[in-house]
mmCIF file of all heavy atoms in Angstrom:
data_model
loop_
_atom_site.group_PDB
_atom_site.id
_atom_site.type_symbol
_atom_site.label_atom_id
_atom_site.label_comp_id
_atom_site.label_asym_id
_atom_site.label_seq_id
_atom_site.Cartn_x
_atom_site.Cartn_y
_atom_site.Cartn_z
ATOM 1 N N ARG A 1480 -3.083 -7.149 -6.022
ATOM 2 C CA ARG A 1480 -3.671 -5.912 -5.470
ATOM 3 C C ARG A 1480 -2.753 -4.660 -5.844
ATOM 4 O O ARG A 1480 -1.516 -4.876 -5.944
ATOM 5 C CB ARG A 1480 -3.791 -5.950 -3.942
ATOM 6 C CG ARG A 1480 -4.670 -6.994 -3.339
ATOM 7 C CD ARG A 1480 -6.153 -6.732 -3.634
ATOM 8 N NE ARG A 1480 -6.957 -7.729 -3.037
ATOM 9 C CZ ARG A 1480 -7.308 -8.940 -3.577
ATOM 10 N NH1 ARG A 1480 -6.844 -9.261 -4.794
ATOM 11 N NH2 ARG A 1480 -8.106 -9.795 -2.961
ATOM 12 N N ALA A 1481 -3.385 -3.534 -6.095
ATOM 13 C CA ALA A 1481 -2.550 -2.399 -6.414
ATOM 14 C C ALA A 1481 -3.216 -1.126 -5.863
ATOM 15 O O ALA A 1481 -4.453 -0.967 -5.896
ATOM 16 C CB ALA A 1481 -2.441 -2.231 -7.905
ATOM 17 N N TRP A 1482 -2.431 -0.184 -5.342
ATOM 18 C CA TRP A 1482 -2.879 1.088 -4.923
ATOM 19 C C TRP A 1482 -2.037 2.149 -5.565
ATOM 20 O O TRP A 1482 -0.912 1.986 -5.894
ATOM 21 C CB TRP A 1482 -2.698 1.251 -3.360
ATOM 22 C CG TRP A 1482 -3.569 0.324 -2.570
ATOM 23 C CD1 TRP A 1482 -4.832 0.561 -2.064
ATOM 24 C CD2 TRP A 1482 -3.260 -1.016 -2.158
ATOM 25 N NE1 TRP A 1482 -5.326 -0.504 -1.373
ATOM 26 C CE2 TRP A 1482 -4.375 -1.526 -1.405
ATOM 27 C CE3 TRP A 1482 -2.146 -1.864 -2.356
ATOM 28 C CZ2 TRP A 1482 -4.389 -2.784 -0.831
ATOM 29 C CZ3 TRP A 1482 -2.184 -3.162 -1.827
ATOM 30 C CH2 TRP A 1482 -3.270 -3.587 -1.076
ATOM 31 N N CYS A 1483 -2.638 3.323 -5.767
ATOM 32 C CA CYS A 1483 -1.935 4.393 -6.409
ATOM 33 C C CYS A 1483 -2.361 5.759 -5.818
ATOM 34 O O CYS A 1483 -3.585 6.022 -5.703
ATOM 35 C CB CYS A 1483 -2.252 4.386 -7.909
ATOM 36 S SG CYS A 1483 -1.356 5.630 -8.864
ATOM 37 N N GLY A 1484 -1.437 6.607 -5.467
ATOM 38 C CA GLY A 1484 -1.763 7.906 -4.857
ATOM 39 C C GLY A 1484 -0.620 8.365 -3.975
ATOM 40 O O GLY A 1484 0.509 7.852 -3.992
ATOM 41 N N ASN A 1485 -0.903 9.378 -3.115
ATOM 42 C CA ASN A 1485 -0.001 9.857 -2.169
ATOM 43 C C ASN A 1485 -0.164 9.217 -0.807
ATOM 44 O O ASN A 1485 -1.201 9.455 -0.133
ATOM 45 C CB ASN A 1485 -0.113 11.424 -1.916
ATOM 46 C CG ASN A 1485 0.403 12.197 -3.158
ATOM 47 O OD1 ASN A 1485 1.297 11.688 -3.840
ATOM 48 N ND2 ASN A 1485 -0.036 13.421 -3.295
ATOM 49 N N PHE A 1486 0.738 8.312 -0.470
ATOM 50 C CA PHE A 1486 0.664 7.568 0.782
ATOM 51 C C PHE A 1486 1.702 7.930 1.778
ATOM 52 O O PHE A 1486 1.403 8.062 2.996
ATOM 53 C CB PHE A 1486 0.759 6.066 0.480
ATOM 54 C CG PHE A 1486 -0.304 5.513 -0.314
ATOM 55 C CD1 PHE A 1486 -0.215 5.412 -1.723
ATOM 56 C CD2 PHE A 1486 -1.520 5.072 0.212
ATOM 57 C CE1 PHE A 1486 -1.266 4.944 -2.537
ATOM 58 C CE2 PHE A 1486 -2.541 4.557 -0.533
ATOM 59 C CZ PHE A 1486 -2.454 4.503 -1.897
ATOM 60 N N LEU A 1487 2.919 8.228 1.314
ATOM 61 C CA LEU A 1487 4.021 8.578 2.183
ATOM 62 C C LEU A 1487 4.917 9.518 1.389
ATOM 63 O O LEU A 1487 5.704 9.075 0.598
ATOM 64 C CB LEU A 1487 4.776 7.400 2.781
ATOM 65 C CG LEU A 1487 5.646 7.627 3.978
ATOM 66 C CD1 LEU A 1487 5.834 6.331 4.756
ATOM 67 C CD2 LEU A 1487 7.030 8.145 3.589
ATOM 68 N N THR A 1488 4.754 10.837 1.540
ATOM 69 C CA THR A 1488 5.328 11.843 0.699
ATOM 70 C C THR A 1488 6.611 12.394 1.262
ATOM 71 O O THR A 1488 7.066 12.066 2.375
ATOM 72 C CB THR A 1488 4.362 12.965 0.400
ATOM 73 O OG1 THR A 1488 4.048 13.647 1.650
ATOM 74 C CG2 THR A 1488 3.038 12.407 -0.164
ATOM 75 N N ALA A 1489 7.210 13.362 0.516
ATOM 76 C CA ALA A 1489 8.430 14.101 0.978
ATOM 77 C C ALA A 1489 8.145 15.597 0.709
ATOM 78 O O ALA A 1489 8.735 16.214 -0.134
ATOM 79 C CB ALA A 1489 9.667 13.672 0.299
ATOM 80 N N LEU A 1490 7.196 16.130 1.465
ATOM 81 C CA LEU A 1490 6.777 17.504 1.252
ATOM 82 C C LEU A 1490 6.259 17.768 -0.157
ATOM 83 O O LEU A 1490 5.339 17.142 -0.607
ATOM 84 C CB LEU A 1490 7.809 18.438 1.695
ATOM 85 C CG LEU A 1490 8.149 18.594 3.203
ATOM 86 C CD1 LEU A 1490 9.392 19.391 3.464
ATOM 87 C CD2 LEU A 1490 6.962 19.143 3.975
ATOM 88 N N ASP A 1491 6.957 18.609 -0.845
ATOM 89 C CA ASP A 1491 6.571 19.059 -2.179
ATOM 90 C C ASP A 1491 7.482 18.548 -3.238
ATOM 91 O O ASP A 1491 7.722 19.146 -4.266
ATOM 92 C CB ASP A 1491 6.503 20.591 -2.266
ATOM 93 C CG ASP A 1491 7.802 21.253 -1.878
ATOM 94 O OD1 ASP A 1491 8.701 20.578 -1.418
ATOM 95 O OD2 ASP A 1491 7.920 22.535 -2.100
ATOM 96 N N MET A 1492 7.999 17.336 -3.013
ATOM 97 C CA MET A 1492 8.962 16.770 -3.993
ATOM 98 C C MET A 1492 8.236 16.214 -5.160
ATOM 99 O O MET A 1492 7.292 15.407 -5.053
ATOM 100 C CB MET A 1492 9.808 15.655 -3.314
ATOM 101 C CG MET A 1492 10.808 14.993 -4.271
ATOM 102 S SD MET A 1492 11.865 13.835 -3.443
ATOM 103 C CE MET A 1492 12.983 14.908 -2.614
ATOM 104 N N PRO A 1493 8.669 16.509 -6.384
ATOM 105 C CA PRO A 1493 8.180 15.897 -7.538
ATOM 106 C C PRO A 1493 8.795 14.560 -7.829
ATOM 107 O O PRO A 1493 10.010 14.486 -7.983
ATOM 108 C CB PRO A 1493 8.449 16.872 -8.712
ATOM 109 C CG PRO A 1493 9.657 17.582 -8.236
ATOM 110 C CD PRO A 1493 9.615 17.617 -6.687
ATOM 111 N N GLY A 1494 8.064 13.549 -7.871
ATOM 112 C CA GLY A 1494 8.623 12.173 -8.013
ATOM 113 C C GLY A 1494 7.666 11.097 -7.529
ATOM 114 O O GLY A 1494 6.514 11.389 -7.091
ATOM 115 N N ALA A 1495 8.111 9.845 -7.486
ATOM 116 C CA ALA A 1495 7.236 8.773 -7.095
ATOM 117 C C ALA A 1495 8.164 7.577 -6.658
ATOM 118 O O ALA A 1495 9.380 7.525 -6.981
ATOM 119 C CB ALA A 1495 6.333 8.341 -8.249
ATOM 120 N N SER A 1496 7.553 6.646 -5.986
ATOM 121 C CA SER A 1496 8.226 5.366 -5.670
ATOM 122 C C SER A 1496 7.334 4.260 -5.982
ATOM 123 O O SER A 1496 6.133 4.355 -5.996
ATOM 124 C CB SER A 1496 8.657 5.339 -4.154
ATOM 125 O OG SER A 1496 7.516 5.451 -3.323
ATOM 126 N N LEU A 1497 7.947 3.066 -6.200
ATOM 127 C CA LEU A 1497 7.166 1.870 -6.367
ATOM 128 C C LEU A 1497 7.571 0.904 -5.235
ATOM 129 O O LEU A 1497 8.742 0.762 -4.871
ATOM 130 C CB LEU A 1497 7.530 1.163 -7.739
ATOM 131 C CG LEU A 1497 7.244 1.952 -8.955
ATOM 132 C CD1 LEU A 1497 7.664 1.155 -10.249
ATOM 133 C CD2 LEU A 1497 5.731 2.352 -9.035
ATOM 134 N N SER A 1498 6.546 0.214 -4.697
ATOM 135 C CA SER A 1498 6.847 -0.816 -3.660
ATOM 136 C C SER A 1498 6.119 -2.075 -4.148
ATOM 137 O O SER A 1498 4.987 -2.048 -4.606
ATOM 138 C CB SER A 1498 6.197 -0.365 -2.322
ATOM 139 O OG SER A 1498 6.830 0.874 -1.838
ATOM 140 N N VAL A 1499 6.838 -3.199 -3.926
ATOM 141 C CA VAL A 1499 6.293 -4.490 -4.274
ATOM 142 C C VAL A 1499 6.375 -5.347 -3.035
ATOM 143 O O VAL A 1499 7.422 -5.471 -2.409
ATOM 144 C CB VAL A 1499 7.060 -5.097 -5.462
ATOM 145 C CG1 VAL A 1499 6.545 -6.526 -5.718
ATOM 146 C CG2 VAL A 1499 6.953 -4.253 -6.681
ATOM 147 N N LEU A 1500 5.299 -6.028 -2.659
ATOM 148 C CA LEU A 1500 5.158 -6.924 -1.501
ATOM 149 C C LEU A 1500 4.832 -8.326 -1.925
ATOM 150 O O LEU A 1500 3.780 -8.487 -2.578
ATOM 151 C CB LEU A 1500 4.155 -6.339 -0.526
ATOM 152 C CG LEU A 1500 3.828 -7.213 0.693
ATOM 153 C CD1 LEU A 1500 5.036 -7.267 1.645
ATOM 154 C CD2 LEU A 1500 2.623 -6.674 1.428
ATOM 155 N N LYS A 1501 5.671 -9.260 -1.585
ATOM 156 C CA LYS A 1501 5.305 -10.671 -1.786
ATOM 157 C C LYS A 1501 4.094 -10.996 -0.972
ATOM 158 O O LYS A 1501 4.101 -10.670 0.215
ATOM 159 C CB LYS A 1501 6.486 -11.573 -1.493
ATOM 160 C CG LYS A 1501 7.642 -11.513 -2.365
ATOM 161 C CD LYS A 1501 8.696 -12.539 -1.905
ATOM 162 C CE LYS A 1501 9.967 -12.511 -2.697
ATOM 163 N NZ LYS A 1501 10.995 -13.532 -2.248
ATOM 164 N N VAL A 1502 3.127 -11.704 -1.462
ATOM 165 C CA VAL A 1502 1.963 -12.119 -0.681
ATOM 166 C C VAL A 1502 1.655 -13.550 -0.868
ATOM 167 O O VAL A 1502 1.944 -14.199 -1.862
ATOM 168 C CB VAL A 1502 0.738 -11.261 -1.055
ATOM 169 C CG1 VAL A 1502 0.913 -9.830 -0.789
ATOM 170 C CG2 VAL A 1502 0.273 -11.492 -2.490
ATOM 171 N N ASP A 1503 1.090 -14.114 0.200
ATOM 172 C CA ASP A 1503 0.455 -15.490 0.153
ATOM 173 C C ASP A 1503 -1.031 -15.291 0.611
ATOM 174 O O ASP A 1503 -1.449 -14.217 0.811
ATOM 175 C CB ASP A 1503 1.233 -16.462 1.039
ATOM 176 C CG ASP A 1503 1.451 -15.936 2.455
ATOM 177 O OD1 ASP A 1503 0.654 -15.062 2.899
ATOM 178 O OD2 ASP A 1503 2.337 -16.417 3.175
ATOM 179 N N ASP A 1504 -1.668 -16.428 0.866
ATOM 180 C CA ASP A 1504 -3.098 -16.247 1.205
ATOM 181 C C ASP A 1504 -3.273 -15.526 2.525
ATOM 182 O O ASP A 1504 -4.187 -14.732 2.717
ATOM 183 C CB ASP A 1504 -3.752 -17.670 1.371
ATOM 184 C CG ASP A 1504 -3.838 -18.421 -0.005
ATOM 185 O OD1 ASP A 1504 -3.848 -17.722 -1.026
ATOM 186 O OD2 ASP A 1504 -4.055 -19.617 -0.016
ATOM 187 N N GLU A 1505 -2.405 -15.743 3.500
ATOM 188 C CA GLU A 1505 -2.530 -15.184 4.819
ATOM 189 C C GLU A 1505 -2.319 -13.595 4.704
ATOM 190 O O GLU A 1505 -3.121 -12.816 5.219
ATOM 191 C CB GLU A 1505 -1.577 -15.713 5.819
ATOM 192 C CG GLU A 1505 -1.708 -15.177 7.240
ATOM 193 C CD GLU A 1505 -0.801 -15.818 8.173
ATOM 194 O OE1 GLU A 1505 0.276 -16.255 7.813
ATOM 195 O OE2 GLU A 1505 -1.037 -15.800 9.460
ATOM 196 N N LEU A 1506 -1.240 -13.200 3.995
ATOM 197 C CA LEU A 1506 -0.939 -11.769 3.902
ATOM 198 C C LEU A 1506 -2.001 -11.107 3.035
ATOM 199 O O LEU A 1506 -2.390 -9.926 3.334
ATOM 200 C CB LEU A 1506 0.395 -11.553 3.304
ATOM 201 C CG LEU A 1506 1.649 -11.952 4.247
ATOM 202 C CD1 LEU A 1506 2.938 -11.641 3.474
ATOM 203 C CD2 LEU A 1506 1.585 -11.189 5.524
ATOM 204 N N LEU A 1507 -2.462 -11.790 2.001
ATOM 205 C CA LEU A 1507 -3.544 -11.151 1.152
ATOM 206 C C LEU A 1507 -4.781 -10.915 1.959
ATOM 207 O O LEU A 1507 -5.466 -9.917 1.803
ATOM 208 C CB LEU A 1507 -3.775 -12.042 -0.066
ATOM 209 C CG LEU A 1507 -4.757 -11.521 -1.090
ATOM 210 C CD1 LEU A 1507 -4.317 -10.206 -1.603
ATOM 211 C CD2 LEU A 1507 -4.968 -12.570 -2.228
ATOM 212 N N ALA A 1508 -5.159 -11.885 2.801
ATOM 213 C CA ALA A 1508 -6.365 -11.688 3.611
ATOM 214 C C ALA A 1508 -6.243 -10.453 4.607
ATOM 215 O O ALA A 1508 -7.165 -9.708 4.839
ATOM 216 C CB ALA A 1508 -6.658 -12.967 4.436
ATOM 217 N N LEU A 1509 -4.996 -10.254 5.112
ATOM 218 C CA LEU A 1509 -4.770 -9.142 6.018
ATOM 219 C C LEU A 1509 -4.798 -7.829 5.204
ATOM 220 O O LEU A 1509 -5.377 -6.822 5.699
ATOM 221 C CB LEU A 1509 -3.454 -9.275 6.640
ATOM 222 C CG LEU A 1509 -3.298 -10.434 7.681
ATOM 223 C CD1 LEU A 1509 -1.826 -10.619 8.081
ATOM 224 C CD2 LEU A 1509 -4.228 -10.279 8.867
ATOM 225 N N LEU A 1510 -4.325 -7.861 3.934
ATOM 226 C CA LEU A 1510 -4.456 -6.564 3.168
ATOM 227 C C LEU A 1510 -5.893 -6.321 2.790
ATOM 228 O O LEU A 1510 -6.315 -5.169 2.654
ATOM 229 C CB LEU A 1510 -3.635 -6.791 1.863
ATOM 230 C CG LEU A 1510 -2.115 -6.780 1.980
ATOM 231 C CD1 LEU A 1510 -1.509 -7.080 0.719
ATOM 232 C CD2 LEU A 1510 -1.635 -5.411 2.527
ATOM 233 N N ASP A 1511 -6.745 -7.326 2.655
ATOM 234 C CA ASP A 1511 -8.174 -7.206 2.280
ATOM 235 C C ASP A 1511 -9.036 -6.837 3.476
ATOM 236 O O ASP A 1511 -10.224 -6.549 3.300
ATOM 237 C CB ASP A 1511 -8.637 -8.455 1.585
ATOM 238 C CG ASP A 1511 -8.121 -8.592 0.239
ATOM 239 O OD1 ASP A 1511 -7.618 -7.571 -0.352
ATOM 240 O OD2 ASP A 1511 -8.184 -9.694 -0.409
ATOM 241 N N ALA A 1512 -8.548 -7.097 4.704
ATOM 242 C CA ALA A 1512 -9.403 -6.945 5.885
ATOM 243 C C ALA A 1512 -9.896 -5.459 5.988
ATOM 244 O O ALA A 1512 -9.178 -4.525 5.569
ATOM 245 C CB ALA A 1512 -8.576 -7.271 7.166
ATOM 246 N N PRO A 1513 -11.074 -5.288 6.540
ATOM 247 C CA PRO A 1513 -11.677 -3.910 6.658
ATOM 248 C C PRO A 1513 -10.743 -3.005 7.423
ATOM 249 O O PRO A 1513 -10.119 -3.430 8.408
ATOM 250 C CB PRO A 1513 -12.951 -4.170 7.392
ATOM 251 C CG PRO A 1513 -13.312 -5.627 7.215
ATOM 252 C CD PRO A 1513 -11.985 -6.325 7.122
ATOM 253 N N ALA A 1514 -10.721 -1.809 7.056
ATOM 254 C CA ALA A 1514 -9.960 -0.734 7.698
ATOM 255 C C ALA A 1514 -10.598 0.574 7.490
ATOM 256 O O ALA A 1514 -11.194 0.844 6.486
ATOM 257 C CB ALA A 1514 -8.499 -0.705 7.307
ATOM 258 N N SER A 1515 -10.507 1.452 8.478
ATOM 259 C CA SER A 1515 -11.127 2.803 8.389
ATOM 260 C C SER A 1515 -10.181 3.810 8.968
ATOM 261 O O SER A 1515 -9.997 3.846 10.182
ATOM 262 C CB SER A 1515 -12.476 2.845 9.097
ATOM 263 O OG SER A 1515 -12.989 4.136 9.124
ATOM 264 N N ALA A 1516 -9.614 4.661 8.163
ATOM 265 C CA ALA A 1516 -8.690 5.694 8.520
ATOM 266 C C ALA A 1516 -8.735 6.850 7.483
ATOM 267 O O ALA A 1516 -9.041 6.562 6.303
ATOM 268 C CB ALA A 1516 -7.286 5.203 8.767
ATOM 269 N N PRO A 1517 -8.464 8.069 7.868
ATOM 270 C CA PRO A 1517 -8.575 9.210 6.960
ATOM 271 C C PRO A 1517 -7.835 8.998 5.630
ATOM 272 O O PRO A 1517 -8.286 9.296 4.533
ATOM 273 C CB PRO A 1517 -8.010 10.367 7.704
ATOM 274 C CG PRO A 1517 -8.269 10.020 9.088
ATOM 275 C CD PRO A 1517 -8.135 8.532 9.236
ATOM 276 N N ALA A 1518 -6.663 8.390 5.665
ATOM 277 C CA ALA A 1518 -5.910 8.190 4.461
ATOM 278 C C ALA A 1518 -6.177 6.909 3.718
ATOM 279 O O ALA A 1518 -5.755 6.704 2.617
ATOM 280 C CB ALA A 1518 -4.361 8.204 4.780
#
């Protein structure tokens, strides 16, 4: 799974971060579960 965009910023800072999360079947199912929020 991969996401790209502004998720947690530092005001007007030019730059980026990479985050990597180990997943198994249980964690993958939780990442795939339905969610509804503005961001």
Side-chain angles (χ1 to χ4, degrees):
R1480 297 290 184 273
W1482 294 268
C1483 183
N1485 284 341
F1486 295 91
L1487 198 154
T1488 63
L1490 289 173
D1491 55 351
M1492 178 176 283
S1496 63
L1497 298 180
S1498 298
V1499 177
L1500 173 67
K1501 292 182 180 179
V1502 298
D1503 53 19
D1504 289 343
E1505 184 177 25
L1506 292 180
L1507 185 57
L1509 293 171
L1510 290 173
D1511 287 343
S1515 175

